[in-house]
Amino acid sequence: MSDPTGTFVWYELMTSDPAAALAFYGSVVGWTTSGMPMPGKPDETYTMLHAGDRPVAGLMALPEDVASQGGRPGWIGYVVVEDVDRAAEKLAAAGGTVHRQPADIPGVGRFAVVADPAGAVFCPFRGAPEMSEGPAPAPMGTPGHVGWHELMGGEVDDSLAFYGGLLGWTKEHDMDMGPMGAYRLFAGPDGQMIGGMMRRPSEVPQSFWLYYFNVPAMDAAIEKVKAGGGQVINGPMEVPGGSTIIQALDPQGAMFALVAPPAQGSGAQ
């Protein structure tokens, strides 16, 4: 089935130490791996990260030119658009920034690297025709898949207006976070919940997207994060619905998050 416009379909980690990152996420999230030649660069390998038999993300070395300009290890998400070139033009006209002009990935699709007006980076993407059919989305909460997408950016009204105009996202409802303002839940054009967005606190140096990977049990995952050289920077905390989350850094400094279902017998509804 084709993924609808406005859907996150891929996640990619650029890291300073691919081998160490593979070992870390394999332990914490449970991913297995496979390698494929980089399109147009047969001597370089792109690592696919699998949840069961499904590829869900990719991993590659942080390019030297990116590192030399101050780029740091981090995750980036790919979002389906109807036309990558038109999306890049529309984004720039709405105050966003095109960091990498639209380009083809042979046999995969077309993408660009962009930032919203507050500076959060993501990739508009359109799959090649031969990639248009795929399996149905995994059930919500499936271990190894991304369970939530969180934007820490500008004012939520401005963020939703931008992404709504570009990707068709709509407001679900707001949660009052006191002095931090509203936490706005949003859905795609198909009505499916995608994630939440909030205003970036002044102490956070830049806006960004944060991706929450599903794990079956949080206590065990936290132990693996620490044993693997990662750092829990917030949590664990229970969120509405009873799930537990943490935000963390991997050993190379890339930020990620985990979400686990309510523990059996916890009484959460």
Side-chain angles (χ1 to χ4, degrees):
M1 61 179 295
S2 299
D3 293 296
T5 298
T7 303
F8 280 93
V9 291
W10 193 248
Y11 311 89
E12 192 170 78
L13 174 65
M14 287 189 179
T15 181
S16 55
D17 191 337
L22 285 175
F24 177 80
Y25 287 102
S27 172
V28 173
V29 186
W31 287 325
T32 57
T33 65
S34 65
M36 60 176 287
M38 292 278 284
K41 300 178 181 179
D43 294 333
E44 297 183 26
T45 300
Y46 185 82
T47 300
M48 310 274 279
L49 306 172
H50 299 258
D53 60 356
R54 295 192 188 200
V56 296
L59 182 150
M60 60 185 292
L62 186 69
E64 291 184 6
D65 60 331
V66 175
S68 67
Q69 296 178 33
R72 299 175 58 82
W75 284 94
I76 192 167
Y78 287 65
V79 188
V80 174
V81 296
E82 288 290 339
D83 184 297
V84 173
D85 295 74
R86 281 208 306 264
E89 293 173 1
K90 190 173 183 179
L91 172 139
T97 303
V98 179
H99 290 297
R100 178 169 179 172
Q101 292 295 326
D104 290 327
I105 307 171
V108 176
R110 190 166 177 81
F111 81 111
V113 181
V114 304
D116 68 19
V121 178
F122 65 101
C123 292
F125 174 77
R126 187 70 186 177
E130 59 267 33
M131 300 290 289
S132 62
E133 295 298 322
M140 185 175 294
T142 301
H145 290 256
V146 174
W148 195 248
H149 311 84
E150 189 170 83
L151 173 65
M152 191 168 287
E155 297 293 336
V156 292
D157 287 341
D158 296 338
S159 294
L160 187 63
F162 171 81
Y163 285 102
L166 186 70
L167 301 171
W169 291 349
T170 57
K171 173 182 174 179
E172 278 289 309
H173 65 272
D174 286 348
M175 299 171 59
D176 184 2
M177 298 177 65
M180 296 180 67
Y183 186 84
R184 177 161 296 173
L185 279 63
F186 64 94
D190 60 356
Q192 296 296 310
M193 189 84 75
I194 295 175
M197 52 182 65
M198 61 183 290
R199 184 183 70 240
R200 172 176 61 86
S202 58
E203 64 269 20
V204 176
Q206 65 184 55
S207 299
F208 63 94
W209 278 99
L210 181 62
Y211 305 104
Y212 286 71
F213 307 125
N214 295 323
V215 292
M218 189 58 73
D219 287 347
I222 289 173
E223 291 180 7
K224 292 174 182 177
V225 169
K226 294 178 179 178
Q231 178 185 356
V232 177
I233 58 175
N234 189 29
M237 74 174 71
E238 186 175 304
V239 295
S243 295
T244 302
I245 64 170
I246 64 167
Q247 288 98 36
L249 298 175
D250 71 18
Q252 289 70 51
M255 190 172 180
F256 69 100
L258 302 176
V259 55
Q264 291 188 355
S266 66
Q269 300 297 314

